[in-house]
Amino acid sequence: MKKYILTAVLALLAASLIGGCGGQTPAGDAARLDGYWKVDYMNDGFGFAEFRVGRVEYLSFDSGGNSVTLYGNWGDLYDCAPALASFGQDGTLTVSHRVPGAEVVTRAYRYELPDGDTLLLHDVTGRTVKLTRAEKTPAEDGYACQRVGLEYLSLVQYSVLHDTNLLSGNGELWFVTGGPDQAYAIPYDVVSHHYGGYNLSGSYVFAFGMQSGNLLWATSRTGDNSVAKLVDFNGNELASIDTQTLHNAYKSTIETGTYDGYYLWLYGYHLTNLDDSDPVAVLTKVDVTANPPVTKFSDWGVKMRVVAMAAYGSDVWALVSFGNYLLVRLNEDGEVEETFILPYPPTGTPIKMVGLAGLGGDMYVLGADLYPSPYGYESYSHVLKVTW
């Protein structure tokens, strides 16, 4: 009997020593962490960066300790990353999150719970973050973390070339792709999923906007890529926008944009610092009905990596790539009004988001295979519908 009692005592003593240095078992520590935690300080380079959710300001744990959400920001954009969490007997917290366009990222941290209101995490490099129990929720601090769904519609069996986008015009979606040897404009029926195609002529075939259902706002991807032109499918040029004229001698590239029926929106980078690791982005709104065109605003230093833009409803939206893909609703001055997080695409294979379009009260996203297609092409495209 004494032997059994001694064994039980030793087991209880061991249980009190393992876990998060807080005198609890891992299960007990998980329960203690339930709720929201605010970052008090964080060493530069702490190991949250791999989750690509911006600068992390909050963590939240569920009551069972099986999941954790990281809340971060990219300036005016708020992002969050739901992740799996597990507590080890050796005092480690393991966090796993699938980063869109990549594999699952898993990181382990040594954790300490010196009291009920303080959490310390240490990464493998010895850097530390200190968190305390939050006095308000992330939502009260601007982190709405609104999510939308994606409904898979169909595969578009055209190889993705250098630039591919999704446009809308004349009551149809248009799949447009450009390259050095061939370029297409392909009307796509969202009901039947049928599509045909037109060959595009000329050098201005990298389209980012459609006007009147059969005209494209496009760039040539030659030189410094600072000029947009309105062209027809045969390459005839009907209008031209030079960013050097818009910006009073300062040029910017044109990476993407949209035409909202009245204004042309252009997103690109300041040409004076393209060699910098963090070039300055600029969002420009142009009244193309004026002669000559009039710049409504040029917002330098935009804190967004815009993949595509689209007019949807009465607003202009941007598809933004950070840790997650974000849908961002802009106001008439180009300021962020709302941010929505896109889920990991339901395609079965990793894809990257390359296009955005609004049509008939719905919004659509174009994805491209992240890796070479099993069909032997460089990459295929996928049409997905956003569900609210």
Side-chain angles (χ1 to χ4, degrees):
M1 178 63 70
K2 290 181 179 180
K3 177 180 178 181
Y4 293 129
I5 293 175
L6 177 61
T7 300
V9 170
L10 290 175
L12 289 172
L13 177 62
S16 69
L17 294 176
I18 61 177
C21 304
Q24 299 284 328
T25 64
D29 285 336
R32 293 172 68 197
L33 286 174
D34 179 30
Y36 298 102
W37 296 81
K38 180 78 166 64
V39 173
D40 270 3
Y41 72 79
M42 183 189 309
N43 291 149
D44 289 341
F46 183 80
F48 281 151
E50 295 87 350
F51 296 112
R52 292 191 284 180
V53 72
R55 180 168 181 81
V56 174
E57 290 195 337
Y58 288 92
L59 298 182
S60 69
F61 293 86
D62 71 356
S63 58
N66 297 319
S67 68
V68 58
T69 300
L70 295 84
Y71 298 82
N73 70 76
W74 310 86
D76 293 334
L77 299 177
Y78 296 97
D79 202 349
C80 60
L84 297 177
S86 61
F87 293 84
Q89 298 285 349
D90 57 351
T92 59
L93 166 65
T94 301
V95 178
S96 299
H97 168 63
R98 179 180 289 278
V99 175
E103 304 300 326
V104 173
V105 174
T106 300
R107 293 293 180 267
Y109 309 99
R110 184 170 59 85
Y111 71 93
E112 298 179 67
L113 286 165
D115 56 60
D117 295 319
T118 305
L119 169 64
L120 301 176
L121 297 178
H122 311 279
D123 66 15
V124 294
T125 67
R127 296 182 175 92
T128 297
V129 58
K130 177 186 176 184
L131 303 101
T132 55
R133 286 206 176 273
E135 296 180 357
K136 57 183 178 180
T137 67
E140 293 173 321
D141 204 13
Y143 289 87
C145 284
Q146 303 174 94
R147 295 184 174 275
V148 294
L150 285 175
E151 175 187 344
Y152 188 81
L153 295 184
S154 71
L155 183 75
V156 179
Q157 296 183 353
Y158 276 82
S159 175
V160 174
L161 303 175
H162 289 69
D163 278 66
T164 304
N165 208 339
L166 192 67
L167 308 178
S168 64
N170 205 27
E172 296 177 297
L173 287 179
W174 290 77
F175 170 83
V176 291
T177 184
D181 302 317
Q182 56 185 342
Y184 305 104
I186 304 162
Y188 172 84
D189 190 312
V190 297
V191 177
S192 67
H193 310 318
H194 291 161
Y195 51 89
Y198 298 89
N199 290 324
L200 298 179
S201 300
S203 59
Y204 282 78
V205 294
F206 301 96
F208 58 84
M210 179 166 273
Q211 182 173 325
S212 303
N214 59 354
L215 301 176
L216 301 173
W217 281 103
T219 64
S220 68
R221 293 291 189 262
T222 58
D224 55 21
N225 189 35
S226 62
V227 176
K229 292 191 176 183
L230 182 65
V231 298
D232 62 19
F233 293 164
N234 295 318
N236 297 310
E237 299 175 3
L238 307 176
S240 180
I241 299 292
D242 188 334
T243 60
Q244 184 170 4
T245 302
L246 295 177
H247 301 149
N248 296 321
Y250 291 98
K251 290 184 180 182
S252 66
T253 65
I254 300 174
E255 304 299 323
T256 189
T258 191
Y259 178 68
D260 67 6
Y262 192 85
Y263 296 108
L264 186 67
W265 297 67
L266 304 173
Y267 171 86
Y269 296 103
H270 197 313
L271 275 171
T272 60
N273 69 337
L274 284 182
D275 294 331
D276 293 351
S277 59
D278 188 22
V280 174
V282 56
L283 178 65
T284 305
K285 180 179 177 181
V286 186
D287 181 356
V288 294
T289 66
N291 189 17
V294 177
T295 302
K296 302 302 290 185
F297 69 75
S298 287
D299 187 4
W300 297 92
V302 174
K303 301 299 183 182
M304 293 187 288
R305 277 185 222 144
V306 178
V307 175
M309 300 182 72
Y312 173 65
S314 59
D315 301 299
V316 166
W317 293 68
L319 174 62
V320 177
S321 173
F322 281 121
N324 293 295
Y325 283 105
L326 307 176
L327 284 177
V328 179
R329 183 170 69 86
L330 305 175
N331 64 19
E332 62 181 13
D333 295 319
E335 299 167 335
V336 175
E337 287 289 323
E338 284 187 291
T339 302
F340 297 84
I341 299 172
L342 285 170
Y344 196 77
T347 59
T349 58
I351 69 173
K352 59 182 179 180
M353 303 299 193
V354 297
L356 181 69
L359 177 67
D362 290 312
M363 182 179 287
Y364 299 87
V365 175
L366 185 70
D369 291 327
L370 192 62
Y371 306 116
S373 166
Y375 306 98
Y377 290 80
E378 176 187 349
S379 179
Y380 273 170
S381 295
H382 309 263
V383 181
L384 305 107
K385 179 180 175 181
V386 176
T387 57
W388 303 92

